[in-house]
Amino acid sequence: MSKTDRSQQLVNWFNSEKLKDQRELDNNKKKLISDIKKLKKEELFPKPIKLSLWQKIKIILLGR
């Protein structure tokens, strides 16, 4: 086996590994995008609850 054959094999192997990694990365990106699309705005940013004056006083005096 000549040195050029071996180097060509290594280049081919490297390219195939690079392609495999790129496919895996693309699949992970697609999965992440679909997971993000499934989330709802209300889950990420819940609306603050308006407390009455008495509820605020109770929280300050008694704690949560």
Side-chain angles (χ1 to χ4, degrees):
M1 181 185 278
S2 69
K3 191 171 186 174
T4 57
D5 289 343
R6 180 70 178 147
S7 63
Q8 186 63 36
Q9 284 179 340
L10 289 173
V11 168
N12 289 340
W13 172 82
F14 177 74
N15 287 334
S16 68
E17 289 297 314
K18 193 165 71 169
L19 184 63
K20 210 183 312 181
D21 290 344
Q22 186 64 39
R23 285 182 188 150
E24 184 179 344
L25 181 65
D26 289 341
N27 287 338
N28 288 338
K29 283 181 184 178
K30 288 178 184 176
K31 184 178 182 299
L32 181 64
I33 289 170
S34 67
D35 289 346
I36 290 174
K37 284 183 179 179
K38 290 178 186 176
L39 294 176
K40 295 181 181 174
K41 179 181 169 185
E42 292 78 23
E43 292 175 357
L44 294 176
F45 307 105
K47 289 186 177 179
I49 300 170
K50 298 261 183 179
L51 299 175
S52 69
L53 179 61
W54 291 110
Q55 289 173 330
K56 291 177 185 178
I57 293 171
K58 180 181 170 187
I59 289 173
I60 290 173
L61 293 176
L62 302 176
R64 282 232 171 213

